Amino acid sequence: MSSFKSWLKAARLRTLPLALSSIILGGALAAFEFQARWDILALALVTALFLQILSNFANDYGDSEKGTDNQHRVGPKRTVQSGEISPAQMRKAMVVMALLALASGLTLVFVGTKGIAIWKTLLFIVLGLGCIAAAVKYTVGEKAYGYRGLGDLFVFIFFGLTGVVGTYFLSTQQVFWGAWLLGSSVGLFSVGVLNLNNMRDIVNDRNSGKLTIPVRLGFNRAKLYHIGLIGGGLLFALIHTVAYFQCCWMLLPFLSVFLFVRDLKEIVLIKDPAMLDPYLKKLSLSTFVFVLLYSAGLYLSMI
């Protein structure tokens, strides 16, 4: 029996604030429209946690099965690779997390789409099933999309657009283009975390046939790509702020810009990919701080 500590390690707790960021921001946008739904927010947060843990379990399992997690890999040693958790145990855990995500996700959809056209309910059910499939198929299976450089696109869609726009819609039953702007902002920051992860592992990924964006671009151009991701995320947030500006409180999230800029300046100077590992957690937390400040700014502007 694997230890509780091993399962916590496999869950990768440092990734969880990033998973919650888009949900919190979507809920804050709904509150900004005086349509806050705390039941929707709670269900969405729980579903996001289940999906993130499922994704982390699947990544641990898939990279180990493909041999990508090996003695040459940079960063924390994974639990299946190290033998702390057996492949069979991890497969069972993935099934459990998928069922939990499905149960909470279906509850979220039925509560959030009550009283509207059935096709919208079905659309969200399909989207939810897509989220579960995407969490697993990033590294698991012969056609794992993470091995073909498509991880960035899926992270942008599911960690950004789906989280913010989906939470906003289920709370308000309305479409709001401002939610797409902030979804794009958080989505690009989330892609930035994945990009740092892939830059850190660029040598081993290249040798293992994992064709991530940094492997395709090369280390130096991946840095430029990273600057574009962070800059794009801030730009989308700025466009939203200008478009819906009400008072100076809405500038509050931009106090966090120095966190992004400080880390970017250090990342650009790094020559050894292994030195990038601490910046994954830093960007994850910077994104979370940005979201909390943005949410606080929206709330204070309503008072």
Side-chain angles (χ1 to χ4, degrees), residues 48-63:
L49 282 175
F50 288 150
L51 285 171
Q52 181 60 56
I53 295 172
L54 170 62
S55 177
N56 291 340
F57 284 177
N59 184 255
D60 199 315
Y61 173 79
D63 277 345

Side-chain angles (χ1 to χ4, degrees), residues 60-279:
D60 199 315
Y61 173 79
D63 277 345
S64 176
E65 290 296 287
K66 288 179 170 59
T68 307
D69 283 348
N70 53 47
Q71 69 272 24
H72 303 297
R73 182 184 174 276
V74 180
K77 196 171 269 191
R78 298 307 182 202
T79 57
V80 176
Q81 168 205 1
S82 63
E84 294 179 61
I85 297 174
S86 71
Q89 287 176 315
M90 189 59 84
R91 286 195 298 269
K92 291 178 183 177
M94 288 163 57
V95 171
V96 170
M97 294 312 304
L99 290 174
L100 289 172
L102 180 62
S104 62
L106 286 175
T107 304
L108 170 64
V109 170
F110 288 129
V111 171
T113 61
K114 185 178 181 180
I116 63 176
I118 187 66
W119 69 267
K120 294 180 181 178
T121 301
L122 294 175
L123 178 62
F124 270 94
I125 290 175
V126 171
L127 183 61
L129 293 174
C131 288
I132 293 174
V136 174
K137 292 295 290 181
Y138 176 60
T139 58
V140 175
E142 293 183 4
K143 296 183 179 179
Y145 63 86
Y147 280 72
R148 296 188 289 170
L150 297 175
D152 296 50
L153 176 62
F154 279 81
V155 164
F156 178 76
I157 292 172
F158 291 110
F159 278 77
L161 298 181
T162 301
V164 177
V165 178
T167 303
Y168 177 84
F169 181 85
L170 292 172
S171 298
T172 66
Q173 296 188 349
Q174 296 175 358
V175 177
F176 173 48
W177 80 277
W180 292 91
L181 287 172
L182 291 184
S184 297
S185 178
V186 176
L188 289 175
F189 293 151
S190 300
V191 175
V193 176
L194 177 62
N195 188 57
L196 286 174
N197 179 84
N198 292 337
M199 287 170 65
R200 180 197 66 191
D201 297 336
I202 187 171
V203 175
N204 190 52
D205 284 348
R206 183 187 294 119
N207 294 337
S208 302
K210 189 174 183 179
L211 301 178
T212 62
I213 296 298
V215 169
R216 293 176 184 274
L217 292 178
F219 189 63
N220 290 328
R221 282 188 289 181
K223 288 182 183 179
L224 296 177
Y225 173 58
H226 189 72
I227 293 171
L229 292 171
I230 303 304
L234 293 172
L235 179 60
F236 276 117
L238 180 61
I239 292 171
H240 178 271
T241 299
V242 171
Y244 297 96
F245 188 79
Q246 290 191 7
C247 68
C248 61
W249 286 117
M250 294 187 73
L251 299 175
L252 193 61
F254 296 99
L255 292 176
S256 64
V257 169
F258 84 94
L259 295 173
F260 295 102
V261 173
R262 178 201 62 191
D263 292 345
L264 277 178
K265 288 171 63 177
E266 295 174 3
I267 287 168
V268 167
L269 297 176
I270 288 175
K271 295 191 180 347
D272 179 5
M275 300 299 292
L276 290 171
D277 186 63
Y279 293 93

